[in-house]
Amino acid sequence: MKKFLLAVLGIFVILVAVLLIKMYTYPFKKIAVQTSEGWKPVKNDSAVMHLSGGLKIPTVSTGSLGEFNYAPFDQFKEYLKASYPLVYQNTENNEINTHALVFRLKGSNPSLQPILFLSHIDVVPPGEADVINKELNIFKPDDQPLSPVSKVAEDWDFEPFSGNVANGRIYGRGAIDMKGMLFSLMESMNTMVKNKKVPKRDIYLAFGFDEEVGGQKGAMQIADYFKKKGLQFDTVYDEGGLIMQKGNVAGIDSDVAVVGCAEKGFLSAKIKVKGLGGHSSMPPMESAIGKAAVIMQRFEDDQMKPEITPLIKEFFNNIGGAMPFTSRLAISNQWLLKPLLLSQLTKNNTTNALVRTTTALTMMKGSDGTNVLSPEVEFVVNFRLLPGNTVKDVHDHIAKATEGFDVEVEEIDNTREASAVSSSNTKGFKLIEAGVKEIYPSAIVTPYLTLGGTDAYKYQIVSKNIYRFMPIRINSSEQQSIHSTNEYISIENYLKMIHYFEFVMMNYDK
């Protein structure tokens, strides 16, 4: 027995040694220590005023395309023309499908593939939250900035379409998503034109107008327009990642710039479950709603298998060096600890979404009466597809969950596969890294999986290098204001974003 115990102890010691050696020799990305603070914003009231005015125009997209109030979109087009006459005078500019906008700044070398920057004009509705201060036309760019919010606001500080400038912030629906980026791009191109900077390759800007409801008439039409012209872009830049402020990524004591090199796919299925209807005084042993409940429980109990894709592996390799000991141990020893690592990742909503096709039960409809048994119950389940999983995989998963029941399955909304994964070993990605270091030298820059949908997906027909990233540094509460209450962008973030895009445009071929 003693020899046996000694042998077990010896194996344990060897195992621990192997784990530690693999961790300390694992090729985690080196975290550079930076002492400089990066580029400091220069006062630019004109740029702030341009964005402020753009936020006053309620370019809301909601419901089905065609039901919009298009008058604000027409107003917005005229506002851009008045705000940036130099850009309009010195670029080729086109309207696609009436309200989408495309600008082309010619480069000196037409043999080089152009680069493309995206944004969108439309915003989501502001919601029904109360407004604390209803005063309009506030423009105080020299206010002492308030600290970033630390929790999601219940009310709007100012009217959602006020565009008020106060407290070091520019307030309004769309400030972050995504007029802040749109005006940053226009300001950057305006600076290039004003300073007579001619890029080596053509630079395109493309602004859709229905991104929030699927982008079918905006971005999709623009991408098709580019394809018909025979254009292929060296790089496409869109929204989808941010610079998460130090302390907002668990276990990381650094700012983290997450760059979406792919985005998840989408499938919503309406499932109709049939049963016996009638009066509730004589119910069957199993009602339609009971059968639906069984199916829904199957969906939640037996979800699609989690996995660490190559993109997420690269993400962990980049940030792992700044993570706690236990995390580094698990990441570097997946040959043994991968089940434990996946178990921990799937316990958190955010990290769970990084490693599996998620399942969300979102809608349900049954009887309209308290004493009526509906012969048919329907519910909606939404899947966000992990790269590597396919729409067919989800179909098979649905078939398994509904096996044994009389059901009809109908896909609703815009089903799409997960996007292709863009390499981080490209000029386009390296310019993102360089641009981030220009404004936040100590930030960790890493590839990432964008969990939501963007217009970028539609441009796969004209580029294989597509990156989703907005260079603003925010905390989780500020991030949650997107599509929620009291959306704002700090003046500092806005001015740094302008500088970032100027840097990328002017340095792409240096």
Side-chain angles (χ1 to χ4, degrees):
M1 176 63 77
K2 185 177 181 180
K3 289 182 179 180
F4 174 75
L5 292 175
L6 286 173
V8 171
L9 179 60
I11 293 171
F12 177 76
V13 170
I14 292 171
L15 179 60
V16 170
V18 169
L19 292 173
L20 292 173
I21 290 170
K22 282 189 171 291
M23 184 185 75
Y24 285 113
T25 59
Y26 192 81
F28 287 118
K29 184 177 182 179
K30 299 295 183 185
I31 307 300
V33 178
Q34 299 284 347
T35 56
S36 63
E37 295 183 15
W39 181 85
K40 290 186 175 299
V42 178
K43 183 177 171 65
N44 189 341
D45 289 353
S46 173
V48 172
M49 186 171 288
H50 286 155
L51 174 56
S52 170
L55 294 174
K56 296 177 191 292
I57 304 172
T59 50
V60 175
S61 63
T62 184
S64 300
L65 191 70
E67 296 178 1
F68 296 179
N69 174 13
Y70 280 103
F73 292 83
D74 292 325
Q75 183 185 351
F76 189 85
K77 287 192 300 184
E78 295 306 312
Y79 179 78
L80 277 189
K81 287 180 183 178
S83 299
Y84 301 102
L86 283 178
V87 174
Y88 276 84
Q89 292 163 13
N90 292 275
T91 64
E92 289 182 5
N93 44 85
N94 297 288
E95 295 178 4
I96 308 299
N97 204 11
T98 307
H99 295 99
L101 304 176
V102 173
F103 302 86
R104 175 198 180 196
L105 180 63
K106 289 185 179 180
S108 60
N109 188 346
S111 68
L112 296 175
Q113 287 188 341
I115 56 176
L116 171 63
F117 297 85
L118 306 177
S119 188
H120 59 82
I121 297 167
D122 61 316
V123 301
V124 297
E128 304 296 329
D130 290 336
V131 176
I132 296 172
N133 184 342
K134 296 189 178 182
E135 185 179 354
L136 300 177
N137 301 317
I138 297 174
F139 189 79
K140 299 179 179 179
D142 298 321
D143 275 1
Q144 182 67 28
L146 291 178
S147 299
V149 295
S150 57
K151 63 179 181 179
V152 180
E154 295 183 2
D155 304 316
W156 288 87
D157 285 352
F158 301 100
E159 293 283 359
F161 295 108
S162 68
N164 281 348
V165 178
N167 311 318
R169 304 170 179 173
I170 309 167
Y171 289 89
R173 170 61 79 229
I176 295 178
D177 186 16
M178 135 178 237
K179 288 180 179 175
M181 185 162 163
L182 186 153
F183 279 89
S184 294
L185 290 167
M186 292 297 287
E187 292 287 336
S188 301
M189 185 166 281
N190 190 70
T191 298
M192 291 193 70
V193 171
K194 183 179 179 180
N195 295 335
K196 295 182 169 52
K197 299 288 186 181
V198 180
K200 285 190 177 180
R201 65 184 73 222
D202 291 356
I203 297 175
Y204 281 79
L205 308 181
F207 306 147
F209 62 91
D210 62 338
E211 190 272 348
E212 299 293 0
V213 291
Q216 301 298 306
K217 296 292 181 73
M220 185 169 286
Q221 299 295 323
I222 300 171
D224 186 58
Y225 163 78
F226 288 148
K227 186 172 179 62
K228 287 177 180 176
K229 286 175 66 71
L231 288 170
Q232 281 290 315
F233 292 94
D234 196 64
T235 303
V236 175
Y237 295 109
D238 194 14
E239 64 174 331
L242 300 161
I243 304 173
M244 295 306 299
Q245 189 173 314
K246 179 179 177 178
N248 281 267
V249 178
I252 306 294
D253 190 30
S254 176
D255 295 336
V256 181
V258 291
V259 181
C261 291
E263 65 182 68
K264 300 186 85 171
F266 184 98
L267 189 153
S268 277
K270 180 189 291 183
I271 299 177
K272 297 180 180 180
V273 186
K274 298 179 181 179
L276 184 65
H279 198 280
S280 64
S281 61
M282 295 180 291
M285 296 303 293
E286 193 173 27
S287 63
I289 199 167
K291 294 175 180 179
V294 172
I295 296 171
M296 288 189 285
Q297 196 63 53
R298 286 180 181 178
F299 277 128
E300 293 201 335
D301 288 347
D302 186 21
Q303 298 197 26
M304 294 185 71
K305 182 181 177 181
E307 56 183 301
I308 297 175
T309 63
L311 178 58
I312 297 306
K313 180 180 179 181
E314 187 176 3
F315 168 69
F316 284 132
N317 289 351
N318 283 341
I319 68 169
M323 295 183 79
F325 174 86
T326 52
S327 298
R328 286 185 284 126
L329 188 69
I331 293 169
S332 58
N333 286 279
Q334 293 182 43
W335 61 278
L336 179 65
L337 302 178
K338 187 174 181 178
L340 179 61
L341 178 61
L342 283 171
S343 174
Q344 292 302 309
L345 291 172
T346 54
K347 289 178 181 178
N348 176 278
N349 293 345
T350 301
T351 53
N352 177 58
L354 292 177
V355 297
R356 69 152 36 113
T357 292
T358 52
T359 303
L361 298 166
T362 58
M363 302 173 70
M364 186 174 184
K365 181 180 178 182
S367 166
D368 292 325
T370 60
N371 61 347
V372 177
L373 294 169
S374 175
E376 183 177 271
V377 172
E378 66 181 44
F379 65 91
V380 174
V381 55
N382 175 250
F383 298 92
R384 299 299 178 104
L385 281 68
L386 191 71
N389 290 159
T390 66
V391 168
K392 182 183 182 304
D393 293 333
V394 177
H395 288 165
D396 293 343
H397 183 70
I398 292 172
K400 182 180 178 183
T402 57
E403 188 175 4
F405 294 99
D406 184 7
V407 300
E408 291 181 9
V409 180
E410 175 190 357
E411 288 181 31
I412 55 178
D413 295 330
N414 300 310
T415 297
R416 62 177 182 271
E417 301 282 2
S419 76
V421 179
S422 296
S423 170
S424 62
N425 188 29
T426 64
K427 177 182 288 190
F429 188 91
K430 294 183 189 305
L431 258 293
I432 295 174
E433 288 186 297
V436 170
K437 296 299 183 182
E438 175 79 2
I439 54 177
Y440 292 109
S442 63
I444 299 171
V445 182
T446 180
Y448 190 70
L449 174 63
T450 297
L451 303 180
T454 72
D455 273 343
Y457 181 90
K458 301 167 184 67
Y459 291 87
Q460 290 186 149
I461 61 174
V462 291
S463 183
K464 64 179 181 180
N465 301 319
I466 299 176
Y467 304 104
R468 302 154 181 86
F469 178 68
M470 186 185 299
I472 60 173
R473 179 177 176 265
I474 60 177
N475 63 32
S476 57
S477 296
E478 290 175 298
Q479 186 178 7
Q480 290 178 64
S481 74
I482 302 171
H483 289 206
S484 187
T485 305
N486 207 37
E487 185 178 353
Y488 71 82
I489 186 171
S490 71
I491 293 175
E492 178 182 359
N493 261 325
Y494 176 50
L495 296 181
K496 284 190 172 183
M497 180 154 50
I498 294 170
H499 181 73
Y500 166 91
F501 285 121
E502 288 178 7
F503 179 90
V504 174
M505 290 179 184
M506 292 182 183
N507 290 277
Y508 196 88
D509 287 298
K510 285 189 177 179

